Amino acid sequence: MASNVEQVNTPAAFAKSSETTKSLVDEVASAATTAERRPEAAEELKALASKDATAFAALQRSDVVGRLWRLCAGEKTAAEDVEALCAKRDANRDAVLPPVLDALAEIALLRAPALLGQQLSTLPTVLAVCRSCGRPGAPSERASPERLCLLAGLRWLAALSTHPVSKHLLKQGLAELVVRALSLRTDQDLLLQCCVLSANVAADGSEQARALCRAKVPRLLSRLLVAEVRPELKEHAVAALNRITRSARGEPLDADEVIGPVALALLSHKPRENQRGRVATPLRGVTWIF
């Protein structure tokens, strides 16, 4: 639990906090909640739980993760039926899964072990959704359910990657998923999520950063630096390249940033001693094509 969580001391405050938490959980997980409101309510729930110990405890005891998944995977829709999950619509004809994943992503940003375990149990389903919606030839129109599901799935993975679970994510094929998105997609919202996800994974350890290098993620990220894309996307690409470079070389992550091509060159540079006195070895088996 975050250090800024405050304990509620009075019975009245405890009751109010508990009631507010329950109300927000119910709203987040209600079938009547609109697609636009669901992630907003989840963000409010996260904000409350991050500063209120009573709300945090109540949220951890809740079944919010299971209730959200039951909105899109009920008795008639198995979790393994990716096509049915993506196609399911609410009363307003909006796709159900994207706002559910966005709400789950907000909740995943909390340091709540019980909820994290529940979220990780659905990882195979989310990865299957991302693979299906990100396959060559999949609909990519801005409002298509496939595009929205892929974007929400990447956001959810990016939220999970803020926890020390990136080794598990990589073992499940995360690097290949990122490579596919960076290689086949021009949607800048999707590409930005790939940058955030890559940076988070690299920050979790040098082994994870090297796995991204072996998958050629830095080379694909570097293409964004010369593409006609939003400045925000270029900034995230540079940040991801720097994070991968520093982590793979065993250097402090808060070291001065370097530009993309220099970052790629550093990844194949000869061994040298870093600021902590440890030898930073070059990456073996990685061929860079500029």
Side-chain angles (χ1 to χ4, degrees):
M1 183 164 52
S3 59
N4 63 338
V5 173
E6 299 178 357
Q7 185 67 47
V8 176
N9 295 317
T10 66
F14 178 90
K16 181 180 179 180
S17 180
S18 298
E19 182 181 350
T20 303
T21 304
K22 183 181 183 304
S23 176
L24 282 172
V25 167
D26 288 342
E27 183 177 12
V28 167
S30 171
T33 304
T34 65
E36 293 78 12
R37 174 57 186 161
R38 196 179 308 284
E40 292 176 355
E43 186 176 6
E44 292 174 15
L45 181 60
K46 177 196 69 178
L48 177 62
S50 66
K51 64 182 181 180
D52 187 312
T54 300
F56 182 87
L59 178 59
Q60 286 222 102
R61 291 193 301 268
S62 74
D63 185 30
V64 65
V65 174
R67 289 175 64 183
L68 277 166
W69 272 106
R70 285 192 288 274
L71 292 175
C72 45
E75 295 179 359
K76 298 182 180 180
T77 308
E80 295 78 13
D81 191 347
V82 172
E83 184 176 346
L85 285 176
C86 297
K88 189 168 184 180
R89 306 267 183 162
D90 61 18
N92 297 320
R93 302 303 299 161
D94 292 317
V96 174
L97 184 57
V100 163
L101 287 174
D102 283 338
L104 288 167
E106 290 292 339
I107 295 169
L109 292 172
L110 285 167
R111 293 294 183 266
L115 296 176
L116 178 61
Q118 295 173 38
Q119 298 255 40
L120 282 172
S121 69
T122 66
L123 177 61
T125 299
V126 178
L127 288 175
V129 167
C130 290
R131 292 188 185 104
S132 176
C133 296
R135 71 188 186 280
S140 58
E141 294 81 9
R142 189 163 187 83
S144 68
E146 290 82 3
R147 184 255 180 191
L148 294 175
C149 287
L150 176 58
L151 180 59
L154 290 173
R155 284 198 191 107
W156 183 81
L157 288 167
L160 277 192
S161 68
T162 62
H163 300 270
V165 297
S166 58
K167 280 187 179 181
H168 180 60
L169 298 180
L170 289 168
K171 287 180 180 178
Q172 299 300 314
L174 179 66
E176 292 79 4
L177 182 66
V178 171
V179 166
R180 176 184 288 183
L182 289 172
S183 302
L184 301 179
R185 295 286 181 159
T186 58
D187 187 320
Q188 295 188 40
D189 292 331
L190 293 173
L191 297 175
L192 189 146
Q193 291 304 319
C194 288
C195 292
V196 173
L197 182 53
S198 299
N200 288 348
V201 170
D204 203 18
S206 60
E207 182 180 340
Q208 291 88 314
R210 288 168 180 262
L212 294 177
C213 291
R214 287 191 293 272
K216 307 298 190 290
V217 170
R219 184 181 66 181
L220 294 170
L221 288 172
S222 69
R223 295 177 180 177
L224 299 176
L225 305 184
V226 295
E228 293 185 6
V229 296
R230 300 193 304 261
E232 178 191 14
L233 177 54
K234 289 194 177 186
E235 291 173 5
H236 277 82
V238 169
L241 277 168
N242 276 280
R243 188 68 61 85
I244 295 171
T245 301
R246 297 304 185 194
S247 183
R249 287 167 57 85
E251 297 178 350
L253 296 179
D254 58 354
D256 293 337
E257 288 192 351
V258 294
I259 60 175
V262 176
L264 292 177
L266 285 172
L267 285 172
S268 58
H269 196 269
K270 65 181 180 180
R272 69 179 183 82
E273 204 170 87
N274 66 17
Q275 295 179 10
R276 295 177 181 173
R278 297 179 299 184
V279 173
T281 58
L283 300 177
R284 295 178 174 81
V286 177
T287 303
W288 300 109
I289 302 176
F290 298 94

